[in-house]
Amino acid sequence: MFTRLTLAAGMALLLASHTMAQSGDFDASQSVSIVGKIARLDKTSMVVDTKATDGTVKQFTFELGTKFLAQKKFFKIGDDVSVSGHPSKLLPNAAIATDLTVNGKAMPGIIWTEPAH
């Protein structure tokens, strides 16, 4: 019984740790561009605060891929960003990044490089 519970818990953790990009649920025929500030840095993604036309702040999550793991120490909350990518087919306000600029500096080497599906 203990072994089954441990195995089930381990599988749940493994499935939960998969990144958005592994799902392949992005619309490569569409694009989205956001300008704002870094609100949160996750394992392989970045959450950006951006102002809507009505003045409210909205959050948008961009999946950046595994190359981001080694580079995210160079970013901090509040940095200015411009991010473009392909929107998620399943999640609102989420996309896979294709272009990233932080504080005016292009960051081509850390974005997701596989095509969206």
Side-chain angles (χ1 to χ4, degrees):
M1 177 75 168
F2 178 73
T3 303
R4 286 186 190 155
L5 288 175
T6 304
L7 181 59
M11 287 301 291
L13 182 60
L14 177 66
L15 291 173
S17 68
H18 280 256
T19 63
M20 278 193 323
Q22 292 169 326
S23 70
D25 291 320
F26 297 91
D27 187 351
S29 70
Q30 301 291 317
S31 63
V32 62
S33 294
I34 300 292
V35 175
K37 294 192 178 286
I38 297 174
R40 188 174 76 231
L41 297 168
D42 293 328
K43 189 174 182 180
T44 59
S45 63
M46 173 185 296
V47 178
V48 177
D49 281 344
T50 186
K51 284 194 178 181
T53 54
D54 64 3
T56 61
V57 175
K58 303 217 182 241
Q59 288 195 326
F60 211 96
T61 301
F62 282 92
E63 178 65 36
L64 296 165
T66 55
K67 291 180 182 180
F68 182 61
L69 287 171
Q71 301 295 326
K72 73 179 187 178
K73 63 186 172 195
F74 298 110
F75 308 120
K76 63 184 183 309
I77 305 302
D79 281 350
D80 293 318
V81 294
S82 174
V83 192
S84 298
H86 302 296
S88 170
K89 294 177 184 175
L90 302 173
L91 302 171
N93 298 335
I96 190 165
T98 56
D99 293 293
L100 172 65
T101 301
V102 179
N103 295 326
K105 182 179 177 187
M107 302 287 182
I110 66 163
I111 58 172
W112 189 262
T113 55
E114 293 183 23
H117 301 292

